[in-house]
Amino acid sequence: MLEIKVAEDREKYFEELSKFGLDEDLTLVVESYDKGEVNGYGFYHLEGDSVSIDYIESYQDLILFDGIVRSILFKAMLSGIDKAVFSDVQLGKFQMLGFVQNNYKTLDSIGDFLSKCKSCGK
């Protein structure tokens, strides 16, 4: 069963955070688990009234990439945040999966976006 939860040991990601120029004190990390093993992760941070999604590692699995992003968006929404900004590093994937449109790198309403997910209500 796939689970996505807050990383317990963020220190193991500090070198990679540094590579992307991300602040290890401000960057939050989620990990994806399948059968008890980490199979992906995501870096994000909160900035004012929005969540910035900095990097997703899904090892070329687009469905997992999508799931990690949606988990971060949902977590942000539960914290009262309704806007998202996506990094330029993976902007093509965010656009391809429908998170951003018209070459922008933002999502103006997380709530509206998640409510339109056809399989979310199942």
Side-chain angles (χ1 to χ4, degrees):
M1 178 178 164
L2 184 68
E3 294 180 87
I4 299 174
K5 53 189 177 181
V6 175
E8 293 179 16
D9 179 15
R10 289 182 335 104
E11 287 185 20
K12 68 182 179 182
Y13 296 103
F14 284 178
E15 186 176 324
E16 191 165 4
L17 291 174
S18 176
K19 180 175 81 173
F20 287 110
L22 300 171
D23 186 324
E24 63 188 44
D25 293 325
L26 299 178
T27 303
L28 303 166
V29 181
V30 293
E31 293 175 318
S32 171
Y33 288 84
D34 187 24
K35 300 176 185 168
E37 299 291 325
V38 174
N39 67 341
Y41 54 89
F43 299 152
Y44 67 102
H45 67 278
L46 306 178
E47 192 171 317
D49 66 345
S50 66
V51 59
S52 293
I53 301 181
D54 301 305
Y55 181 74
I56 304 297
E57 179 58 73
S58 63
Y59 304 102
Q60 305 302 319
D61 184 334
L62 278 178
I63 294 171
L64 180 58
F65 186 99
D66 184 87
I68 294 171
V69 173
R70 287 176 188 273
S71 293
I72 293 171
L73 293 175
F74 185 70
K75 187 168 179 45
M77 190 177 73
L78 290 177
S79 297
I81 293 173
D82 197 42
K83 296 179 184 176
V85 177
F86 301 92
S87 87
D88 293 329
V89 174
Q90 297 173 303
L91 193 54
K93 282 186 182 180
F94 294 126
Q95 290 170 328
M96 180 177 58
L97 292 169
F99 292 107
V100 295
Q101 298 172 348
N102 302 323
N103 294 322
Y104 295 109
K105 60 180 191 175
T106 60
L107 178 59
D108 291 330
S109 177
I110 295 170
D112 287 350
F113 178 81
L114 292 178
S115 71
K116 293 176 185 174
C117 174
K118 293 177 184 173
S119 63
C120 291
K122 293 181 182 179

